Amino acid sequence: MERLCSSPLHENISTALDKHLESIHVVQARRKDEIVNASSRQRHGPPRCQDERVVLALAVALRALCLATRKVRTTLWCAFQMTLPK
């Protein structure tokens, strides 16, 4: 979009994209923790409290990803509108 506009876009656009990517990485890490916890639970029996904490951490990360996705969609739409010819 910066090429279409022939000038750099606002810094909030790149910030929103960076936060969205960071949220994706956090969700991936929490999901990996959940998978590891589920596989170890099958071997050693059900430690219920630890499992709930892992699932809650994943839920919090998913909520943050949802909010970041909404923000980046709006930001990209605004950037697109700025690049359209007048």
Side-chain angles (χ1 to χ4, degrees):
M1 281 189 254
E2 290 176 339
R3 289 183 198 163
L4 294 173
C5 190
S6 301
S7 65
L9 296 173
H10 197 271
E11 64 187 42
N12 288 347
I13 295 169
S14 57
T15 303
L17 288 168
D18 290 340
K19 286 183 180 182
H20 186 252
L21 183 61
E22 181 183 330
S23 297
I24 290 171
H25 290 305
V26 170
V27 169
Q28 287 174 338
R30 298 297 174 259
R31 181 67 178 128
K32 185 184 267 187
D33 293 344
E34 183 190 25
I35 291 169
V36 167
N37 189 23
S39 67
S40 67
R41 184 178 42 153
Q42 289 177 348
R43 285 184 247 141
H44 302 294
R48 187 78 175 153
C49 185
Q50 181 69 17
D51 188 37
E52 289 177 359
R53 275 189 251 142
V54 171
V55 172
L56 286 176
L58 178 62
V60 169
L62 283 171
R63 185 174 193 277
L65 177 62
C66 179
L67 294 174
T69 302
R70 287 182 192 166
K71 186 171 184 172
V72 82
R73 273 193 329 215
T74 303
T75 304
L76 288 174
W77 181 83
C78 291
F80 174 68
Q81 294 299 316
M82 291 187 327
T83 59
L84 289 176
K86 295 178 177 146

Coordinates of all heavy atoms in Angstrom, one line a residue:
M1 N 0.8 -1.2 0.0 CA 0.0 0.0 0.0 C 0.9 1.3 0.0 O 0.5 2.3 -0.5 CB -0.9 0.0 1.2 CG -2.1 -0.9 1.0 SD -3.3 -0.7 2.3 CE -3.0 -2.2 3.2
E2 N 2.0 1.1 0.6 CA 2.9 2.3 0.6 C 3.4 2.6 -0.8 O 3.6 3.8 -1.1 CB 4.1 2.0 1.5 CG 3.7 2.0 3.0 CD 4.9 1.7 3.9 OE1 5.9 1.1 3.4 OE2 4.8 2.0 5.1
R3 N 3.5 1.6 -1.6 CA 3.9 1.9 -3.0 C 2.8 2.6 -3.8 O 3.1 3.4 -4.6 CB 4.3 0.5 -3.7 CG 5.6 -0.1 -3.2 CD 5.9 -1.3 -4.0 NE 6.8 -2.1 -3.2 CZ 7.1 -3.4 -3.5 NH1 6.4 -4.0 -4.4 NH2 8.0 -4.0 -2.8
L4 N 1.6 2.2 -3.5 CA 0.5 2.8 -4.2 C 0.3 4.3 -3.8 O 0.0 5.2 -4.6 CB -0.8 2.1 -3.9 CG -1.0 0.7 -4.4 CD1 -2.2 0.0 -3.9 CD2 -1.0 0.7 -6.0
C5 N 0.6 4.5 -2.5 CA 0.4 5.9 -2.0 C 1.6 6.8 -2.3 O 1.5 8.0 -2.2 CB 0.2 5.8 -0.5 SG -0.3 7.2 0.4
S6 N 2.7 6.2 -2.6 CA 4.0 6.9 -2.9 C 4.5 7.6 -1.7 O 5.3 8.6 -1.8 CB 3.8 7.9 -4.0 OG 3.4 7.2 -5.2
S7 N 4.1 7.2 -0.5 CA 4.6 7.8 0.7 C 4.4 6.8 1.8 O 3.5 5.9 1.7 CB 3.9 9.1 1.1 OG 2.6 8.9 1.3
P8 N 5.1 6.9 2.9 CA 4.9 5.9 4.0 C 3.6 6.2 4.7 O 3.1 7.3 4.8 CB 6.1 6.2 5.0 CG 6.7 7.5 4.5 CD 6.3 7.8 3.1
L9 N 3.0 5.1 5.1 CA 1.7 5.2 5.8 C 2.0 5.5 7.3 O 3.1 5.5 7.8 CB 1.0 3.9 5.7 CG 0.6 3.5 4.3 CD1 0.0 2.1 4.3 CD2 -0.4 4.4 3.7
H10 N 0.9 5.8 8.0 CA 1.0 6.2 9.4 C 1.6 5.1 10.2 O 1.4 3.9 10.0 CB -0.4 6.6 9.9 CG -0.4 7.4 11.1 ND1 -0.4 6.8 12.4 CD2 -0.4 8.7 11.3 CE1 -0.4 7.7 13.3 NE2 -0.4 8.9 12.7
E11 N 2.3 5.5 11.3 CA 3.0 4.5 12.1 C 2.0 3.6 12.9 O 2.4 2.5 13.2 CB 3.9 5.2 13.1 CG 3.2 6.1 14.1 CD 4.2 6.9 14.9 OE1 5.2 7.4 14.4 OE2 3.9 7.0 16.1
N12 N 0.8 4.0 13.1 CA -0.2 3.2 13.8 C -0.5 1.9 13.0 O -0.9 0.9 13.5 CB -1.5 4.0 14.1 CG -1.3 5.0 15.2 OD1 -0.3 5.0 15.9 ND2 -2.2 5.9 15.3
I13 N -0.4 2.0 11.7 CA -0.7 0.9 10.8 C 0.3 -0.2 11.0 O 0.0 -1.4 11.3 CB -0.7 1.3 9.3 CG1 -1.9 2.3 9.1 CG2 -0.9 0.1 8.4 CD1 -1.9 3.0 7.8
S14 N 1.6 0.1 11.0 CA 2.6 -0.9 11.3 C 2.6 -1.4 12.7 O 2.8 -2.6 13.0 CB 4.0 -0.4 10.9 OG 4.3 0.8 11.6
T15 N 2.2 -0.5 13.6 CA 2.1 -0.9 15.0 C 1.0 -1.9 15.2 O 1.2 -3.0 15.9 CB 1.8 0.3 15.9 OG1 2.9 1.2 15.8 CG2 1.7 -0.1 17.4
A16 N -0.1 -1.7 14.6 CA -1.3 -2.6 14.7 C -0.9 -4.0 14.0 O -1.2 -5.0 14.6 CB -2.5 -2.1 14.0
L17 N -0.2 -4.0 12.9 CA 0.2 -5.2 12.3 C 1.2 -6.0 13.2 O 1.1 -7.2 13.3 CB 0.9 -4.9 10.9 CG -0.1 -4.5 9.8 CD1 0.7 -4.0 8.6 CD2 -1.0 -5.7 9.4
D18 N 2.1 -5.3 13.8 CA 3.1 -5.9 14.7 C 2.4 -6.5 15.9 O 2.7 -7.7 16.4 CB 4.1 -4.9 15.2 CG 5.1 -4.5 14.1 OD1 5.2 -5.2 13.1 OD2 5.7 -3.4 14.3
K19 N 1.4 -5.8 16.5 CA 0.7 -6.4 17.6 C -0.2 -7.6 17.2 O -0.3 -8.5 18.0 CB -0.3 -5.3 18.2 CG 0.5 -4.3 19.0 CD -0.5 -3.3 19.7 CE 0.3 -2.2 20.4 NZ -0.6 -1.3 21.1
H20 N -0.7 -7.6 16.0 CA -1.4 -8.7 15.6 C -0.5 -9.9 15.4 O -0.9 -11.0 15.8 CB -2.1 -8.4 14.2 CG -3.0 -9.4 13.7 ND1 -2.7 -10.2 12.7 CD2 -4.2 -9.9 14.1 CE1 -3.7 -11.1 12.4 NE2 -4.6 -10.9 13.3
L21 N 0.6 -9.7 14.8 CA 1.6 -10.8 14.7 C 2.0 -11.3 16.1 O 2.2 -12.6 16.3 CB 2.8 -10.4 13.9 CG 3.8 -11.4 13.6 CD1 3.2 -12.6 12.7 CD2 5.0 -10.8 12.8
E22 N 2.3 -10.4 17.0 CA 2.7 -10.8 18.3 C 1.5 -11.7 19.0 O 1.8 -12.7 19.7 CB 2.9 -9.6 19.2 CG 3.4 -9.9 20.6 CD 3.6 -8.6 21.4 OE1 3.9 -7.6 20.8 OE2 3.4 -8.7 22.6
S23 N 0.3 -11.3 18.8 CA -0.8 -12.0 19.4 C -0.9 -13.4 18.8 O -1.2 -14.4 19.5 CB -2.1 -11.3 19.1 OG -2.2 -10.0 19.7
I24 N -0.6 -13.5 17.5 CA -0.6 -14.8 16.8 C 0.4 -15.7 17.5 O 0.2 -16.9 17.8 CB -0.4 -14.7 15.3 CG1 -1.6 -14.1 14.7 CG2 -0.1 -16.1 14.7 CD1 -1.4 -13.7 13.2
H25 N 1.6 -15.2 17.7 CA 2.7 -16.0 18.3 C 2.3 -16.4 19.7 O 2.7 -17.5 20.1 CB 4.0 -15.2 18.3 CG 4.6 -15.0 16.9 ND1 4.9 -16.1 16.1 CD2 5.0 -13.9 16.3 CE1 5.4 -15.6 15.0 NE2 5.4 -14.3 15.1
V26 N 1.7 -15.5 20.5 CA 1.3 -15.9 21.8 C 0.3 -17.0 21.8 O 0.4 -18.0 22.6 CB 0.7 -14.7 22.6 CG1 0.1 -15.1 23.9 CG2 1.8 -13.6 22.8
V27 N -0.7 -17.0 20.9 CA -1.7 -18.0 20.8 C -1.0 -19.3 20.4 O -1.4 -20.4 21.0 CB -2.8 -17.7 19.8 CG1 -3.7 -18.9 19.5 CG2 -3.7 -16.5 20.4
Q28 N -0.1 -19.3 19.5 CA 0.6 -20.5 19.1 C 1.4 -21.1 20.3 O 1.4 -22.3 20.5 CB 1.6 -20.2 18.0 CG 0.9 -20.0 16.6 CD 1.9 -19.5 15.5 OE1 2.9 -19.0 15.8 NE2 1.4 -19.7 14.3
A29 N 2.0 -20.3 21.1 CA 2.7 -20.8 22.3 C 1.8 -21.4 23.3 O 2.1 -22.4 23.9 CB 3.5 -19.6 22.9
R30 N 0.7 -20.7 23.5 CA -0.3 -21.2 24.5 C -0.9 -22.6 24.0 O -1.1 -23.5 24.8 CB -1.4 -20.2 24.8 CG -1.0 -18.9 25.4 CD -0.4 -19.1 26.8 NE 0.2 -17.9 27.2 CZ 1.4 -17.5 27.2 NH1 2.3 -18.4 26.7 NH2 1.8 -16.4 27.6
R31 N -1.1 -22.7 22.7 CA -1.7 -23.9 22.2 C -0.7 -25.0 22.3 O -1.0 -26.2 22.6 CB -2.1 -23.7 20.7 CG -2.6 -24.9 20.0 CD -4.0 -25.2 20.6 NE -4.5 -26.4 19.9 CZ -4.9 -27.5 20.4 NH1 -5.0 -27.6 21.7 NH2 -5.4 -28.5 19.7
K32 N 0.6 -24.7 22.1 CA 1.7 -25.7 22.2 C 1.7 -26.2 23.7 O 1.9 -27.4 24.0 CB 3.0 -25.1 21.8 CG 4.1 -26.1 21.8 CD 5.5 -25.5 21.5 CE 5.7 -25.6 20.0 NZ 7.1 -25.1 19.6
D33 N 1.6 -25.2 24.6 CA 1.6 -25.6 26.1 C 0.4 -26.5 26.4 O 0.6 -27.5 27.1 CB 1.5 -24.3 26.9 CG 2.7 -23.5 26.9 OD1 3.8 -24.0 26.4 OD2 2.6 -22.3 27.3
E34 N -0.7 -26.2 25.8 CA -1.9 -27.0 26.0 C -1.7 -28.5 25.5 O -2.1 -29.4 26.1 CB -3.1 -26.4 25.4 CG -4.4 -27.2 25.6 CD -5.6 -26.7 24.8 OE1 -5.3 -26.2 23.7 OE2 -6.7 -27.0 25.2
I35 N -1.1 -28.6 24.3 CA -0.9 -29.9 23.7 C 0.1 -30.7 24.6 O -0.1 -31.9 24.8 CB -0.4 -29.8 22.3 CG1 -1.5 -29.2 21.4 CG2 0.2 -31.1 21.7 CD1 -1.0 -28.8 20.0
V36 N 1.2 -30.0 25.0 CA 2.2 -30.7 25.9 C 1.5 -31.1 27.2 O 1.8 -32.2 27.7 CB 3.4 -29.8 26.2 CG1 4.3 -30.3 27.3 CG2 4.2 -29.6 24.9
N37 N 0.7 -30.3 27.8 CA 0.0 -30.6 29.0 C -0.9 -31.8 28.8 O -1.0 -32.7 29.7 CB -0.7 -29.4 29.5 CG -1.2 -29.6 30.9 OD1 -0.7 -30.4 31.7 ND2 -2.2 -28.8 31.3
A38 N -1.6 -31.8 27.7 CA -2.6 -32.9 27.5 C -1.9 -34.2 27.2 O -2.3 -35.3 27.7 CB -3.4 -32.6 26.2
S39 N -0.7 -34.2 26.6 CA 0.0 -35.4 26.4 C 0.7 -35.9 27.7 O 0.7 -37.1 27.9 CB 1.1 -35.2 25.3 OG 2.1 -34.4 25.7
S40 N 1.1 -35.0 28.5 CA 1.7 -35.5 29.8 C 0.6 -36.0 30.8 O 0.8 -36.8 31.6 CB 2.5 -34.4 30.4 OG 1.7 -33.3 30.8
R41 N -0.6 -35.4 30.6 CA -1.7 -35.8 31.5 C -2.1 -37.2 31.2 O -2.5 -38.0 32.1 CB -2.9 -34.9 31.3 CG -4.1 -35.2 32.2 CD -5.2 -34.2 31.9 NE -5.3 -34.0 30.5 CZ -6.4 -33.6 29.9 NH1 -7.5 -33.4 30.6 NH2 -6.5 -33.4 28.6
Q42 N -2.0 -37.7 29.9 CA -2.4 -39.0 29.6 C -1.5 -40.0 30.2 O -1.8 -41.1 30.5 CB -2.4 -39.2 28.1 CG -3.5 -38.5 27.4 CD -3.5 -38.6 25.8 OE1 -2.5 -39.1 25.3 NE2 -4.5 -38.3 25.2
R43 N -0.2 -39.6 30.4 CA 0.8 -40.5 31.0 C 0.7 -40.6 32.5 O 0.9 -41.6 33.1 CB 2.2 -40.1 30.6 CG 2.5 -40.5 29.1 CD 3.9 -40.1 28.8 NE 3.9 -39.0 27.8 CZ 4.7 -38.0 27.8 NH1 5.7 -37.9 28.7 NH2 4.6 -37.1 26.9
H44 N 0.4 -39.5 33.1 CA 0.6 -39.4 34.6 C -0.8 -39.2 35.3 O -0.7 -39.0 36.5 CB 1.5 -38.2 35.0 CG 2.8 -38.4 34.4 ND1 3.7 -39.4 34.7 CD2 3.5 -37.6 33.4 CE1 4.8 -39.2 34.0 NE2 4.7 -38.2 33.2
G45 N -1.9 -39.2 34.7 CA -3.1 -39.0 35.4 C -3.5 -37.5 35.3 O -2.7 -36.6 34.9
P46 N -4.7 -37.2 35.7 CA -5.3 -35.8 35.5 C -4.9 -34.8 36.6 O -5.6 -34.8 37.6 CB -6.8 -36.0 35.4 CG -7.0 -37.3 36.2 CD -5.8 -38.1 36.1
P47 N -3.9 -34.0 36.5 CA -3.7 -32.9 37.4 C -4.7 -31.7 37.0 O -4.4 -31.0 36.1 CB -2.3 -32.5 37.3 CG -1.9 -32.9 35.9 CD -2.8 -34.1 35.6
R48 N -5.8 -31.6 37.6 CA -6.9 -30.8 37.1 C -6.6 -29.3 37.2 O -6.8 -28.5 36.3 CB -8.1 -31.1 38.0 CG -9.4 -30.4 37.5 CD -9.9 -31.1 36.4 NE -11.2 -30.5 36.0 CZ -11.7 -30.5 34.8 NH1 -11.1 -31.1 33.9 NH2 -12.9 -29.9 34.6
C49 N -5.9 -28.8 38.2 CA -5.7 -27.4 38.4 C -4.7 -26.8 37.4 O -5.0 -25.8 36.8 CB -5.1 -27.2 39.8 SG -4.9 -25.4 40.2
Q50 N -3.7 -27.5 37.1 CA -2.7 -27.1 36.1 C -3.4 -27.0 34.7 O -3.1 -26.1 33.9 CB -1.5 -28.0 36.1 CG -0.4 -27.7 35.1 CD 0.3 -26.4 35.4 OE1 0.2 -25.9 36.6 NE2 1.0 -25.8 34.5
D51 N -4.2 -28.0 34.4 CA -4.9 -28.1 33.1 C -5.8 -26.9 32.9 O -5.8 -26.3 31.9 CB -5.7 -29.4 33.0 CG -6.2 -29.6 31.6 OD1 -5.6 -29.2 30.6 OD2 -7.4 -30.1 31.5
E52 N -6.5 -26.5 34.0 CA -7.4 -25.3 33.9 C -6.6 -24.0 33.7 O -7.0 -23.2 32.9 CB -8.2 -25.2 35.2 CG -9.3 -26.3 35.3 CD -10.0 -26.2 36.6 OE1 -9.8 -25.3 37.4 OE2 -10.9 -27.0 36.8
R53 N -5.4 -23.9 34.3 CA -4.6 -22.7 34.1 C -4.1 -22.6 32.6 O -4.1 -21.5 32.1 CB -3.4 -22.7 35.0 CG -3.8 -22.1 36.4 CD -2.6 -21.9 37.2 NE -2.7 -23.0 38.3 CZ -1.7 -23.6 38.8 NH1 -0.4 -23.4 38.3 NH2 -1.8 -24.5 39.7
V54 N -3.8 -23.7 32.1 CA -3.3 -23.7 30.7 C -4.4 -23.3 29.7 O -4.2 -22.5 28.8 CB -2.7 -25.1 30.3 CG1 -2.4 -25.2 28.9 CG2 -1.4 -25.4 31.1
V55 N -5.6 -23.9 30.0 CA -6.8 -23.6 29.1 C -7.2 -22.1 29.3 O -7.5 -21.4 28.3 CB -7.9 -24.5 29.4 CG1 -9.2 -24.1 28.7 CG2 -7.6 -25.9 29.0
L56 N -7.1 -21.6 30.5 CA -7.5 -20.2 30.7 C -6.5 -19.2 30.1 O -6.8 -18.2 29.5 CB -7.6 -19.9 32.2 CG -8.8 -20.4 32.9 CD1 -8.8 -20.2 34.4 CD2 -10.1 -19.8 32.3
A57 N -5.2 -19.6 30.1 CA -4.2 -18.8 29.4 C -4.4 -18.8 27.9 O -4.2 -17.8 27.3 CB -2.8 -19.4 29.7
L58 N -4.8 -19.9 27.4 CA -5.1 -20.0 25.9 C -6.4 -19.1 25.6 O -6.4 -18.4 24.6 CB -5.4 -21.4 25.5 CG -5.8 -21.6 24.0 CD1 -4.7 -21.1 23.1 CD2 -6.1 -23.1 23.8
A59 N -7.4 -19.1 26.5 CA -8.5 -18.3 26.3 C -8.2 -16.8 26.3 O -8.7 -16.1 25.5 CB -9.6 -18.7 27.3
V60 N -7.4 -16.4 27.2 CA -6.9 -15.0 27.3 C -6.2 -14.6 26.1 O -6.4 -13.5 25.5 CB -6.1 -14.8 28.6 CG1 -5.4 -13.4 28.6 CG2 -6.9 -14.9 29.8
A61 N -5.3 -15.5 25.6 CA -4.5 -15.2 24.4 C -5.5 -15.1 23.2 O -5.3 -14.3 22.3 CB -3.5 -16.3 24.2
L62 N -6.5 -16.0 23.1 CA -7.4 -15.9 22.0 C -8.2 -14.6 22.0 O -8.5 -14.1 21.0 CB -8.4 -17.1 22.0 CG -7.8 -18.4 21.5 CD1 -8.7 -19.6 21.8 CD2 -7.4 -18.3 20.0
R63 N -8.6 -14.2 23.2 CA -9.3 -12.9 23.3 C -8.5 -11.8 22.8 O -9.0 -10.9 22.1 CB -9.8 -12.7 24.7 CG -10.6 -11.5 24.9 CD -11.2 -11.4 26.3 NE -12.2 -10.4 26.4 CZ -12.0 -9.1 26.6 NH1 -10.8 -8.6 26.6 NH2 -13.0 -8.3 26.7
A64 N -7.2 -11.8 23.2 CA -6.3 -10.7 22.8 C -6.1 -10.8 21.3 O -6.1 -9.7 20.6 CB -5.0 -10.8 23.5
L65 N -6.1 -12.0 20.7 CA -6.0 -12.1 19.2 C -7.2 -11.6 18.6 O -7.1 -10.9 17.5 CB -5.7 -13.6 18.9 CG -5.6 -13.9 17.4 CD1 -4.5 -13.1 16.7 CD2 -5.5 -15.3 17.1
C66 N -8.4 -11.9 19.1 CA -9.6 -11.4 18.5 C -9.6 -9.8 18.5 O -10.0 -9.2 17.5 CB -10.8 -11.9 19.3 SG -12.4 -11.4 18.8
L67 N -9.2 -9.2 19.6 CA -9.2 -7.8 19.6 C -8.2 -7.2 18.7 O -8.4 -6.2 18.0 CB -8.9 -7.3 21.1 CG -10.0 -7.6 22.1 CD1 -9.5 -7.2 23.5 CD2 -11.3 -6.9 21.8
A68 N -7.0 -7.8 18.6 CA -6.0 -7.4 17.7 C -6.4 -7.5 16.2 O -6.1 -6.7 15.4 CB -4.7 -8.1 17.9
T69 N -7.1 -8.6 15.9 CA -7.6 -8.8 14.6 C -8.6 -7.8 14.2 O -8.6 -7.2 13.1 CB -8.3 -10.2 14.5 OG1 -7.3 -11.2 14.8 CG2 -8.8 -10.5 13.1
R70 N -9.5 -7.4 15.1 CA -10.5 -6.4 14.8 C -9.8 -5.0 14.5 O -10.1 -4.3 13.6 CB -11.4 -6.2 16.0 CG -12.4 -7.3 16.1 CD -13.4 -7.0 17.2 NE -14.2 -8.1 17.6 CZ -14.8 -8.3 18.7 NH1 -14.8 -7.3 19.6 NH2 -15.5 -9.4 18.9
K71 N -8.8 -4.7 15.3 CA -8.1 -3.5 15.2 C -7.3 -3.5 13.8 O -7.3 -2.5 13.1 CB -7.1 -3.2 16.3 CG -6.5 -1.9 16.3 CD -5.7 -1.6 17.5 CE -5.2 -0.2 17.5 NZ -4.6 0.3 18.7
V72 N -6.6 -4.6 13.5 CA -5.8 -4.6 12.3 C -6.7 -4.6 11.0 O -6.4 -4.0 10.0 CB -4.8 -5.8 12.3 CG1 -5.4 -7.1 11.9 CG2 -3.6 -5.4 11.4
R73 N -7.9 -5.2 11.1 CA -8.8 -5.1 10.0 C -9.3 -3.7 9.7 O -9.3 -3.2 8.6 CB -10.1 -6.0 10.2 CG -9.9 -7.4 9.8 CD -11.2 -8.1 9.8 NE -12.2 -7.6 10.8 CZ -13.0 -8.4 11.5 NH1 -13.1 -9.6 11.2 NH2 -13.9 -7.8 12.3
T74 N -9.6 -3.0 10.8 CA -10.0 -1.6 10.6 C -8.9 -0.7 10.1 O -9.0 0.1 9.3 CB -10.5 -1.0 12.0 OG1 -11.6 -1.9 12.4 CG2 -11.0 0.4 11.9
T75 N -7.7 -1.0 10.7 CA -6.5 -0.2 10.3 C -6.2 -0.4 8.8 O -5.9 0.5 8.1 CB -5.3 -0.6 11.2 OG1 -5.7 -0.4 12.5 CG2 -4.1 0.2 10.8
L76 N -6.2 -1.7 8.4 CA -5.9 -2.0 7.0 C -7.0 -1.4 6.0 O -6.7 -0.9 4.9 CB -5.8 -3.5 6.8 CG -4.5 -4.1 7.3 CD1 -4.6 -5.6 7.2 CD2 -3.3 -3.5 6.7
W77 N -8.2 -1.4 6.5 CA -9.3 -0.8 5.7 C -9.0 0.7 5.5 O -9.2 1.3 4.4 CB -10.7 -1.0 6.3 CG -11.8 -0.4 5.5 CD1 -12.4 -1.0 4.4 CD2 -12.4 0.9 5.7 NE1 -13.4 -0.1 4.0 CE2 -13.4 1.0 4.7 CE3 -12.2 1.9 6.6 CZ2 -14.2 2.1 4.6 CZ3 -13.0 3.0 6.5 CH2 -14.0 3.1 5.5
C78 N -8.7 1.4 6.6 CA -8.3 2.8 6.6 C -7.1 3.1 5.7 O -7.1 4.0 4.9 CB -8.0 3.4 8.0 SG -9.5 3.4 9.0
A79 N -6.1 2.2 5.8 CA -4.9 2.4 4.9 C -5.3 2.2 3.4 O -4.8 2.9 2.5 CB -3.9 1.4 5.3
F80 N -6.2 1.2 3.2 CA -6.7 1.0 1.8 C -7.4 2.2 1.3 O -7.2 2.7 0.1 CB -7.5 -0.2 1.7 CG -8.2 -0.4 0.4 CD1 -7.4 -0.8 -0.7 CD2 -9.5 -0.3 0.2 CE1 -8.0 -1.0 -1.9 CE2 -10.1 -0.5 -1.0 CZ -9.3 -0.8 -2.1
Q81 N -8.3 2.8 2.1 CA -9.0 4.0 1.7 C -8.1 5.2 1.4 O -8.3 6.0 0.5 CB -10.0 4.4 2.8 CG -11.1 3.4 3.0 CD -12.0 3.2 1.8 OE1 -12.3 4.1 1.1 NE2 -12.2 1.9 1.5
M82 N -7.0 5.3 2.2 CA -6.0 6.4 1.9 C -5.3 6.2 0.6 O -4.8 7.1 0.0 CB -5.0 6.4 3.1 CG -5.7 6.9 4.3 SD -4.5 7.3 5.7 CE -3.2 6.1 5.6
T83 N -5.1 4.9 0.1 CA -4.4 4.7 -1.1 C -5.2 4.8 -2.3 O -4.7 4.8 -3.4 CB -3.7 3.3 -1.1 OG1 -4.7 2.3 -0.9 CG2 -2.7 3.2 0.1
L84 N -6.5 4.8 -2.2 CA -7.4 4.9 -3.4 C -7.2 6.3 -4.1 O -7.0 7.3 -3.4 CB -8.9 4.7 -3.0 CG -9.3 3.3 -2.5 CD1 -10.7 3.4 -2.1 CD2 -9.1 2.3 -3.7
P85 N -7.3 6.3 -5.4 CA -7.2 7.6 -6.0 C -8.4 8.5 -5.7 O -9.5 8.0 -5.5 CB -7.2 7.2 -7.5 CG -7.7 5.8 -7.6 CD -7.5 5.2 -6.3
K86 N -8.1 9.8 -5.7 CA -9.2 10.7 -5.3 C -9.9 11.2 -6.5 O -9.6 11.3 -7.6 CB -8.6 11.9 -4.6 CG -8.0 11.4 -3.3 CD -7.3 12.5 -2.5 CE -6.8 11.9 -1.2 NZ -5.7 12.3 -0.7

